[in-house]
Amino acid sequence: MGQLTTTSWSTDAQYFASLDGFFWYGTSLRRVWVRLETENLMAQDPWPNTEILYSKATGAFWDVQVGLKMIMHSRDREVLAGVGISGLAPYWFDVHGGIWLGRDGHVLGRMEAAYEYPLSQRIHVVPKIEAEIDNE
């Protein structure tokens, strides 16, 4: 099960494309997640940030997740360990959040919330808000 989203746009001088997706394997109580995200596929650095998480249900609508995140740069990569939550908040808001710790005191925090508006059976609008805090 999963989702893969691609987005592309262009300006007069440049073409941009992004990739965002997740895949999971397991049951509703225990899952292994793989998440991919890249900002610009056409840049010199097109490698996606990858997360591998183990998720365990703690309630009817909430999961606690632990895992690793790999951030790729031009010639090097950074691996961070993290813990987070994922779930369905009141009024059907889909919420994800976590904190990641790396070497040399690198701390990364991320929060994301989305709401799905079904316009028809095939067309859905999903506005999303994300916040990220990075001390690097």
Side-chain angles (χ1 to χ4, degrees), residues 2-64:
Q3 175 182 345
L4 186 64
T5 305
T6 60
T7 307
S8 61
W9 65 95
S10 65
T11 63
D12 294 336
Q14 290 183 324
Y15 177 76
F16 298 95
S18 68
L19 174 72
D20 190 10
F22 65 87
F23 307 95
W24 60 265
Y25 176 77
T27 65
S28 59
L29 298 176
R30 293 182 178 93
R31 291 183 181 170
V32 174
W33 290 83
V34 176
R35 292 188 182 156
L36 306 168
E37 179 183 66
T38 185
E39 295 293 326
N40 188 359
L41 288 170
M42 301 302 157
Q44 295 176 354
D45 214 6
W47 299 103
N49 294 338
T50 306
E51 298 176 13
I52 299 173
L53 304 165
Y54 171 74
S55 178
K56 182 166 180 2
T58 58
F61 299 106
W62 292 96
D63 293 347
V64 172

Side-chain angles (χ1 to χ4, degrees), residues 68-121:
L68 298 174
K69 178 175 188 151
M70 186 167 45
I71 300 173
M72 299 289 288
H73 300 292
S74 297
R75 289 187 165 70
D76 56 312
R77 68 175 185 248
E78 182 179 11
V79 178
L80 298 106
V83 63
I85 60 166
S86 179
L88 200 59
Y91 300 104
W92 298 98
F93 281 94
D94 191 18
V95 177
H96 305 280
I99 189 162
W100 302 92
L101 304 172
R103 290 186 180 160
D104 301 326
H106 184 199
V107 178
L108 175 69
R110 183 177 177 124
M111 191 70 177
E112 176 183 312
Y115 189 80
E116 185 172 344
Y117 293 102
L119 300 178
S120 70
Q121 289 184 350

Side-chain angles (χ1 to χ4, degrees), residues 114-130:
Y115 189 80
E116 185 172 344
Y117 293 102
L119 300 178
S120 70
Q121 289 184 350
R122 290 184 172 197
I123 300 172
H124 294 235
V125 176
V126 184
K128 182 177 11 176
I129 187 166
E130 297 179 15

